[in-house]
Amino acid sequence: MKQAITFSVESHRFLGPDGQPEGDLPPLAEDKDALHALYRNMVLTRLYDERAIALQRTGQIGTFASSLGQEAIGAGVGHAMRPEDIIIPSFRENGALLFRRFRIRDLLLYWGGDERGMANPELGDDFPICVPISTHTTQAAGVAFAVKYRKQPRVVVCLLGDGGTSKGDFYEAINLAGIWHLPLVFVINNNQWAISVPRAIQTQSETLAQKAIAAGIPGLQIDGNDALAVRHYVAEAIETARNGGGPTLIEALSYRLCHHTTADDATRYRSDEELQAHWKLEPVARLKRFMIGRDMWSEAQESELIRQCKEEIEQEVRHYLDSEPPKPTSMFDSLYAELPDELRAQRQSLVGKESNND
Amino acid sequence: MTDITLVEAVNLALMREMERDPEMVVLGQDIGINGGVFRATVGLLEKFGSERVLDTPLAENMIAGAAVGMAAQGLHPVAEIQFMGFIYPTIDQMVSHASRMRNRTRGRITCPMVLRAPYGGGIHAPEHHSESTEAMFAHIPGLRVVIPSSPTRAYGLLLAAIRNPDPVVFLEPKRIYRLMKQAVEDNGEEFPLDTCFVLRPGSDITLVSWGAMLHETQQAAEQLAGEGIDAEVIDLATIKPIDMQTILESVGRTGRCVIVQEAARTCSVSAEIAARLAEEGLMSLFAPIRRVTGYDTVMPMFRLEGHYMPDTARIVQAVKQTMEFA
Ligand SMILES: Cc1ncc(C[n+]2csc(CCOP(=O)(O)OP(=O)(O)O)c2C)c(N)n1
Ligand SMILES: [Mg+2]
């Protein structure tokens, strides 16, 4: 017998749950500004998520998906990207979006039921939040093709969840990325759950990273609660792609410490013991311990950061709450480049109507 | 100027536009060296190279999704789906993304793509190769659906579809891909979208159809002319949005209307036209609107497809019944 192929999957992390280094650290570990930027984004994201949930509970936005416990993934991805790169997000990577040009007021508008949340022209080519799972993965391949076609030194980063890797879209997208050698990095937030469906019911595959191997592209696993690992390996994949090295698939292991969304009750399907066990692995405390251990952070800086973040969030919330209600006719105005004649009468019936606020 | 077939006109339009527009790419299965299973893309690979003529893996959902991504970046992708029977995996992308991208970003990101597919019955093809499900796409806000019925209109309408800043589903009636030849001037001039074409003026009755069925509809009109009935024939051409103005104006003169389609009857494009005639043109009608359509059955395999598809006799009969009513 001849072995047609054998494969292995690397798994990486720099910091253990207690914030202690495990083996050699990358230069990033010495870069105080970078660590502060990562940490700030994670704290901001956590406070934003908390505030958004409060807004939902008081009826001021609709259903909301928090990223509690997964902040290192958004932060690492967002920080690794250059402004000219393009993000194709799912709906959970709040921190990554905040690192881009999405403002909290935009995100609140979106979750507050208003298309204008994804309309800010300063978002450039970044894609809007994608709700139908994995449907954005093939689009990411198309965007990456366009970038490559125009010979631009840009990279596309597509974020999805563990549940999303079960869809045909995902396989079709990584398959194409391989064949076309696209400047595209897929980052899977493997938070162990897809609403109530645990990772074990998504696939018999031992890792999600190994799905890359069938597509002929590199796949690796990282500890998604280690911001250093996320930042380092995502940046490496992005720069590989930028230099013509093709796509990479990264599985970032994390855990969803929150309910799926504000419309979900996770106590129906998972135990408190499991949840508490994962709280010990969470990413914000991990990076903080590391920085404090190296004299790069203090409790005084911590309280100042929290104060600043809260102030920024409140300002953004105020912007959101003060935003003009959308015009009812606006549902017609961006449907086509030019409104077809047959829709004029329908639109006319809404002229002069006010937006209701429910 | 030479006489060419409808599928050659499709090819000519693709050639012409690729030459003019460096942002245009074509993608699909077997469209490169093979030139497409119907040869609609023949010669493109040789002329424009594999950077712009993209043979894809066999994954329709991905073809549509990749086209959405390309279009979001401002490219003008024209994606071919080999047969309409295999277009259904694209529906997720067309409904959830292509049709909505402009709206859900308030114009920040748009989707100037074309999804082409041959459709319809009558060529004795295998199962799943003969359906006419254009109404599915016509139901979706944000999309355009365009169906040519002759070589000249295929050329002009496809150019318009590619240049249109919004997504267009361009369905090609494959039964008439090679049925007739017409002189098509390769002048790069587009035909207007969202507009019906009056193929035959008439005063007694308005016949509305699109795609391959216009062939039978026009034959019926000729036959009826011999019997003293003067039928006006309208090619709907753009299935969505519908140019009701032209139809209403015509029915306003004739007072009678028969709609002819290959597709199944219920919730179809003919149903929409009939509803709008009832809403906006009832007072000009002398007789009930009649529809000549495929049946509400699964499209039969080819031994029965002749019974399924409307023919000239069914159209003539519907017109006579309408004329007899009033
Ligand atoms: C195609 C599709 N099916 C179902 C849903 C409903 N839904 C929303 S999120 C979700 C679970 C997604 O799990 P995963 O991909 O792991 O992402 P996570 O929510 O954990 O971030 C489901 C089933 C959807 N949005 N899209
Ligand atoms: Mg998940």
Side-chain angles (χ1 to χ4, degrees), chain A residues 65-66 70 90-93 130-135 160-167 169 188-197 199 202 208 256 259-261, chain B residues 92:
Chain A
S66 159
Q70 306 138 75
S90 68
F91 52 84
R92 201 181 289 287
E93 280 67 34
C130 180
V131 170
I133 300 296
S134 265
T135 53
L160 70 150
D162 46 305
T165 65
S166 298
K167 276 195 78 194
D169 305 56
I188 302 163
N189 170 357
N190 178 358
N191 63 10
Q192 316 295 331
W193 293 94
I195 310 187
S196 70
V197 179
R199 157 70 181 77
Q202 292 299 340
L208 303 179
R256 200 192 75 212
H259 301 292
H260 169 67
T261 61
Chain B
D92 197 10

Short mmCIF file of all heavy atoms in Angstrom, two decimals, chain A residues 65-66 70 90-93 130-135 160-167 169 188-197 199 202 208 256 259-261, chain B residues 92, ligand 1:
data_model
loop_
_atom_site.label_atom_id
_atom_site.label_comp_id
_atom_site.label_asym_id
_atom_site.label_seq_id
_atom_site.Cartn_x
_atom_site.Cartn_y
_atom_site.Cartn_z
N ALA A 65 -26.51 40.46 18.66
CA ALA A 65 -25.56 39.35 18.88
C ALA A 65 -24.30 39.89 19.54
O ALA A 65 -23.56 40.67 18.94
CB ALA A 65 -25.22 38.68 17.56
N SER A 66 -24.08 39.47 20.75
CA SER A 66 -22.88 39.89 21.49
C SER A 66 -21.70 38.99 21.10
O SER A 66 -21.88 37.89 20.56
CB SER A 66 -23.17 39.75 22.98
OG SER A 66 -21.97 39.66 23.71
N GLN A 70 -15.26 36.31 22.93
CA GLN A 70 -14.61 36.09 21.63
C GLN A 70 -13.92 37.35 21.13
O GLN A 70 -13.60 37.49 19.95
CB GLN A 70 -15.66 35.62 20.61
CG GLN A 70 -16.44 34.41 21.09
CD GLN A 70 -17.93 34.51 20.78
OE1 GLN A 70 -18.34 34.34 19.63
NE2 GLN A 70 -18.74 34.84 21.78
N SER A 90 -19.33 38.29 9.26
CA SER A 90 -20.63 37.70 9.57
C SER A 90 -21.33 38.73 10.46
O SER A 90 -21.32 39.91 10.15
CB SER A 90 -20.48 36.34 10.24
OG SER A 90 -19.91 36.48 11.53
N PHE A 91 -21.91 38.32 11.56
CA PHE A 91 -22.65 39.29 12.37
C PHE A 91 -22.12 39.34 13.80
O PHE A 91 -22.71 39.99 14.64
CB PHE A 91 -24.13 38.90 12.42
CG PHE A 91 -24.33 37.48 12.83
CD1 PHE A 91 -24.36 37.14 14.17
CD2 PHE A 91 -24.42 36.48 11.89
CE1 PHE A 91 -24.49 35.82 14.56
CE2 PHE A 91 -24.55 35.15 12.28
CZ PHE A 91 -24.58 34.82 13.62
N ARG A 92 -21.01 38.63 14.10
CA ARG A 92 -20.61 38.55 15.49
C ARG A 92 -19.27 39.23 15.78
O ARG A 92 -18.88 39.34 16.92
CB ARG A 92 -20.57 37.09 15.95
CG ARG A 92 -20.67 36.96 17.47
CD ARG A 92 -20.61 35.54 17.95
NE ARG A 92 -21.78 34.75 17.64
CZ ARG A 92 -22.96 34.87 18.24
NH1 ARG A 92 -23.15 35.75 19.19
NH2 ARG A 92 -23.97 34.10 17.90
N GLU A 93 -18.57 39.68 14.77
CA GLU A 93 -17.22 40.16 15.03
C GLU A 93 -17.22 41.67 15.26
O GLU A 93 -16.63 42.45 14.52
CB GLU A 93 -16.26 39.76 13.90
CG GLU A 93 -15.81 38.33 14.04
CD GLU A 93 -16.94 37.33 13.83
OE1 GLU A 93 -17.83 37.63 13.02
OE2 GLU A 93 -16.94 36.29 14.50
N CYS A 130 -23.40 40.17 7.46
CA CYS A 130 -24.10 39.14 6.68
C CYS A 130 -24.88 38.23 7.62
O CYS A 130 -24.30 37.59 8.50
CB CYS A 130 -23.11 38.31 5.88
SG CYS A 130 -23.92 37.03 4.89
N VAL A 131 -26.18 38.18 7.44
CA VAL A 131 -27.01 37.35 8.31
C VAL A 131 -27.19 35.91 7.78
O VAL A 131 -27.06 34.97 8.56
CB VAL A 131 -28.37 38.05 8.56
CG1 VAL A 131 -29.34 37.10 9.25
CG2 VAL A 131 -28.15 39.29 9.43
N PRO A 132 -27.47 35.72 6.49
CA PRO A 132 -27.61 34.31 6.04
C PRO A 132 -26.24 33.61 6.10
O PRO A 132 -25.31 33.98 5.39
CB PRO A 132 -28.11 34.44 4.60
CG PRO A 132 -28.60 35.85 4.47
CD PRO A 132 -27.75 36.67 5.41
N ILE A 133 -26.16 32.63 6.96
CA ILE A 133 -24.86 32.05 7.31
C ILE A 133 -24.08 31.61 6.07
O ILE A 133 -24.61 30.92 5.19
CB ILE A 133 -25.06 30.83 8.24
CG1 ILE A 133 -25.77 31.24 9.53
CG2 ILE A 133 -23.74 30.14 8.56
CD1 ILE A 133 -25.03 32.19 10.40
N SER A 134 -22.83 32.01 6.03
CA SER A 134 -21.85 31.56 5.04
C SER A 134 -22.10 32.05 3.62
O SER A 134 -21.29 31.78 2.73
CB SER A 134 -21.75 30.02 5.00
OG SER A 134 -20.68 29.61 5.82
N THR A 135 -23.20 32.74 3.38
CA THR A 135 -23.45 33.19 2.01
C THR A 135 -22.43 34.22 1.57
O THR A 135 -22.25 34.46 0.38
CB THR A 135 -24.86 33.79 1.87
OG1 THR A 135 -25.03 34.82 2.86
CG2 THR A 135 -25.94 32.75 2.06
N LEU A 160 -16.35 33.93 9.69
CA LEU A 160 -17.55 33.10 9.83
C LEU A 160 -17.47 32.29 11.10
O LEU A 160 -16.44 32.28 11.78
CB LEU A 160 -17.74 32.21 8.60
CG LEU A 160 -16.76 31.06 8.39
CD1 LEU A 160 -17.48 29.94 7.66
CD2 LEU A 160 -15.55 31.50 7.58
N GLY A 161 -18.58 31.58 11.40
CA GLY A 161 -18.63 30.79 12.62
C GLY A 161 -18.42 29.31 12.35
O GLY A 161 -18.35 28.88 11.20
N ASP A 162 -18.33 28.52 13.42
CA ASP A 162 -18.17 27.07 13.27
C ASP A 162 -19.36 26.47 12.54
O ASP A 162 -19.20 25.62 11.67
CB ASP A 162 -17.98 26.39 14.64
CG ASP A 162 -18.96 26.88 15.69
OD1 ASP A 162 -19.01 28.10 15.91
OD2 ASP A 162 -19.68 26.05 16.28
N GLY A 163 -20.57 26.96 12.85
CA GLY A 163 -21.75 26.45 12.14
C GLY A 163 -21.65 26.72 10.65
O GLY A 163 -22.05 25.89 9.83
N GLY A 164 -21.09 27.85 10.33
CA GLY A 164 -20.96 28.24 8.92
C GLY A 164 -20.09 27.30 8.10
O GLY A 164 -20.22 27.23 6.88
N THR A 165 -19.23 26.55 8.76
CA THR A 165 -18.35 25.65 8.01
C THR A 165 -19.07 24.39 7.53
O THR A 165 -18.50 23.59 6.81
CB THR A 165 -17.12 25.21 8.84
OG1 THR A 165 -17.57 24.43 9.96
CG2 THR A 165 -16.33 26.39 9.34
N SER A 166 -20.33 24.22 7.97
CA SER A 166 -21.08 23.05 7.51
C SER A 166 -21.79 23.31 6.19
O SER A 166 -22.32 22.39 5.58
CB SER A 166 -22.12 22.63 8.56
OG SER A 166 -21.46 22.27 9.75
N LYS A 167 -21.83 24.56 5.78
CA LYS A 167 -22.59 24.88 4.57
C LYS A 167 -21.78 24.67 3.30
O LYS A 167 -20.57 24.88 3.27
CB LYS A 167 -23.10 26.32 4.62
CG LYS A 167 -24.42 26.43 5.39
CD LYS A 167 -25.08 27.75 5.14
CE LYS A 167 -25.79 27.80 3.79
NZ LYS A 167 -26.15 29.17 3.43
N ASP A 169 -21.73 26.53 0.80
CA ASP A 169 -21.13 27.82 0.41
C ASP A 169 -19.66 27.87 0.83
O ASP A 169 -18.80 28.31 0.08
CB ASP A 169 -21.82 29.00 1.12
CG ASP A 169 -23.30 29.05 0.90
OD1 ASP A 169 -23.97 28.06 1.21
OD2 ASP A 169 -23.78 30.09 0.43
N ILE A 188 -12.30 31.50 11.04
CA ILE A 188 -13.47 30.89 11.66
C ILE A 188 -13.44 31.18 13.15
O ILE A 188 -12.48 30.85 13.84
CB ILE A 188 -13.45 29.36 11.47
CG1 ILE A 188 -13.41 29.00 9.99
CG2 ILE A 188 -14.65 28.72 12.17
CD1 ILE A 188 -12.98 27.56 9.75
N ASN A 189 -14.49 31.81 13.63
CA ASN A 189 -14.67 31.93 15.07
C ASN A 189 -15.36 30.65 15.53
O ASN A 189 -16.58 30.53 15.46
CB ASN A 189 -15.52 33.17 15.38
CG ASN A 189 -15.95 33.22 16.84
OD1 ASN A 189 -15.67 32.31 17.63
ND2 ASN A 189 -16.66 34.28 17.21
N ASN A 190 -14.56 29.70 15.97
CA ASN A 190 -15.14 28.45 16.49
C ASN A 190 -15.47 28.67 17.96
O ASN A 190 -14.67 28.39 18.84
CB ASN A 190 -14.17 27.28 16.30
CG ASN A 190 -14.74 25.99 16.87
OD1 ASN A 190 -15.84 25.98 17.44
ND2 ASN A 190 -13.99 24.91 16.74
N ASN A 191 -16.69 29.18 18.16
CA ASN A 191 -17.11 29.45 19.54
C ASN A 191 -17.89 28.28 20.12
O ASN A 191 -18.60 28.42 21.11
CB ASN A 191 -17.91 30.77 19.60
CG ASN A 191 -19.18 30.70 18.79
OD1 ASN A 191 -19.60 29.64 18.32
ND2 ASN A 191 -19.82 31.84 18.62
N GLN A 192 -17.78 27.14 19.48
CA GLN A 192 -18.30 25.85 19.96
C GLN A 192 -19.80 25.67 19.81
O GLN A 192 -20.32 24.58 20.03
CB GLN A 192 -17.93 25.58 21.44
CG GLN A 192 -16.50 25.91 21.82
CD GLN A 192 -15.49 25.03 21.10
OE1 GLN A 192 -15.79 23.89 20.76
NE2 GLN A 192 -14.29 25.55 20.85
N TRP A 193 -20.50 26.73 19.47
CA TRP A 193 -21.95 26.64 19.38
C TRP A 193 -22.46 27.34 18.13
O TRP A 193 -21.92 28.36 17.72
CB TRP A 193 -22.62 27.28 20.61
CG TRP A 193 -22.36 26.52 21.87
CD1 TRP A 193 -21.36 26.76 22.77
CD2 TRP A 193 -23.08 25.39 22.35
NE1 TRP A 193 -21.41 25.85 23.79
CE2 TRP A 193 -22.47 24.98 23.56
CE3 TRP A 193 -24.19 24.67 21.88
CZ2 TRP A 193 -22.93 23.89 24.30
CZ3 TRP A 193 -24.65 23.60 22.62
CH2 TRP A 193 -24.02 23.21 23.82
N ALA A 194 -23.52 26.77 17.58
CA ALA A 194 -24.31 27.43 16.55
C ALA A 194 -25.73 27.44 17.11
O ALA A 194 -26.44 26.44 17.04
CB ALA A 194 -24.24 26.68 15.24
N ILE A 195 -26.11 28.54 17.72
CA ILE A 195 -27.28 28.61 18.60
C ILE A 195 -27.16 27.45 19.60
O ILE A 195 -26.23 27.44 20.39
CB ILE A 195 -28.63 28.66 17.85
CG1 ILE A 195 -28.60 29.75 16.73
CG2 ILE A 195 -29.75 29.00 18.84
CD1 ILE A 195 -29.93 29.98 16.04
N SER A 196 -28.04 26.43 19.49
CA SER A 196 -28.01 25.36 20.50
C SER A 196 -27.25 24.13 20.01
O SER A 196 -27.19 23.12 20.71
CB SER A 196 -29.44 24.94 20.84
OG SER A 196 -30.01 24.27 19.74
N VAL A 197 -26.74 24.20 18.79
CA VAL A 197 -26.09 23.02 18.21
C VAL A 197 -24.60 23.07 18.51
O VAL A 197 -23.90 23.99 18.08
CB VAL A 197 -26.33 22.96 16.68
CG1 VAL A 197 -25.62 21.75 16.09
CG2 VAL A 197 -27.82 22.92 16.39
N ARG A 199 -20.58 22.08 18.57
CA ARG A 199 -19.57 21.81 17.55
C ARG A 199 -19.58 20.34 17.13
O ARG A 199 -19.43 20.01 15.94
CB ARG A 199 -18.23 22.25 18.13
CG ARG A 199 -16.97 21.65 17.60
CD ARG A 199 -16.68 22.10 16.19
NE ARG A 199 -15.45 21.45 15.76
CZ ARG A 199 -15.40 20.17 15.38
NH1 ARG A 199 -16.48 19.43 15.34
NH2 ARG A 199 -14.24 19.65 15.03
N GLN A 202 -21.86 19.58 14.34
CA GLN A 202 -21.58 20.20 13.03
C GLN A 202 -20.78 19.28 12.12
O GLN A 202 -20.98 19.27 10.91
CB GLN A 202 -20.82 21.53 13.18
CG GLN A 202 -21.61 22.65 13.81
CD GLN A 202 -22.84 23.04 13.01
OE1 GLN A 202 -22.95 22.77 11.83
NE2 GLN A 202 -23.79 23.67 13.69
N LEU A 208 -11.70 22.11 12.39
CA LEU A 208 -12.30 22.80 11.24
C LEU A 208 -11.19 23.24 10.29
O LEU A 208 -11.40 23.36 9.09
CB LEU A 208 -13.11 24.01 11.72
CG LEU A 208 -14.23 23.67 12.73
CD1 LEU A 208 -14.96 24.95 13.16
CD2 LEU A 208 -15.21 22.66 12.15
N ARG A 256 -18.45 30.87 23.18
CA ARG A 256 -19.48 31.92 23.27
C ARG A 256 -19.97 31.99 24.71
O ARG A 256 -20.75 31.16 25.15
CB ARG A 256 -20.63 31.55 22.32
CG ARG A 256 -21.53 32.72 21.93
CD ARG A 256 -22.79 32.21 21.25
NE ARG A 256 -23.69 31.64 22.23
CZ ARG A 256 -24.52 30.63 22.00
NH1 ARG A 256 -24.58 30.06 20.83
NH2 ARG A 256 -25.31 30.18 22.97
N HIS A 259 -25.43 34.38 25.46
CA HIS A 259 -26.47 33.71 24.69
C HIS A 259 -26.17 33.92 23.21
O HIS A 259 -25.42 34.82 22.84
CB HIS A 259 -27.85 34.31 25.03
CG HIS A 259 -28.21 34.20 26.49
ND1 HIS A 259 -28.46 33.00 27.11
CD2 HIS A 259 -28.34 35.16 27.44
CE1 HIS A 259 -28.75 33.22 28.39
NE2 HIS A 259 -28.68 34.52 28.61
N HIS A 260 -26.80 33.11 22.36
CA HIS A 260 -26.56 33.28 20.92
C HIS A 260 -26.85 34.73 20.50
O HIS A 260 -26.03 35.40 19.88
CB HIS A 260 -27.44 32.30 20.12
CG HIS A 260 -27.46 32.59 18.66
ND1 HIS A 260 -26.36 32.44 17.86
CD2 HIS A 260 -28.45 33.05 17.85
CE1 HIS A 260 -26.67 32.78 16.62
NE2 HIS A 260 -27.94 33.17 16.60
N THR A 261 -28.05 35.18 20.84
CA THR A 261 -28.41 36.58 20.66
C THR A 261 -29.29 36.94 21.85
O THR A 261 -29.57 36.10 22.71
CB THR A 261 -29.25 36.83 19.38
OG1 THR A 261 -30.46 36.07 19.49
CG2 THR A 261 -28.49 36.43 18.12
N ASP B 92 -30.33 31.72 -3.58
CA ASP B 92 -29.93 32.28 -2.30
C ASP B 92 -29.15 33.58 -2.52
O ASP B 92 -29.42 34.61 -1.89
CB ASP B 92 -29.04 31.25 -1.57
CG ASP B 92 -28.90 31.54 -0.09
OD1 ASP B 92 -29.61 32.41 0.42
OD2 ASP B 92 -28.06 30.87 0.54
C1 LIG C 1 -28.43 30.00 6.32
C2 LIG C 1 -28.88 30.30 7.69
N1 LIG C 1 -29.47 29.34 8.42
C3 LIG C 1 -29.89 29.61 9.67
C4 LIG C 1 -29.73 30.85 10.22
C5 LIG C 1 -30.19 31.16 11.63
N2 LIG C 1 -28.98 31.26 12.45
C6 LIG C 1 -28.46 32.47 12.76
S1 LIG C 1 -27.02 32.32 13.55
C7 LIG C 1 -27.07 30.65 13.54
C8 LIG C 1 -25.95 29.86 14.12
C9 LIG C 1 -24.65 30.24 13.52
O1 LIG C 1 -23.63 29.52 14.13
P1 LIG C 1 -22.12 29.83 13.81
O2 LIG C 1 -21.89 29.79 12.35
O3 LIG C 1 -21.31 28.93 14.65
O4 LIG C 1 -21.94 31.35 14.25
P2 LIG C 1 -22.16 31.95 15.71
O5 LIG C 1 -23.58 32.36 15.84
O6 LIG C 1 -21.77 30.92 16.70
O7 LIG C 1 -21.25 33.12 15.75
C10 LIG C 1 -28.22 30.21 12.92
C11 LIG C 1 -28.61 28.80 12.77
C12 LIG C 1 -29.11 31.83 9.42
N3 LIG C 1 -28.90 33.08 9.86
N4 LIG C 1 -28.68 31.53 8.17
#
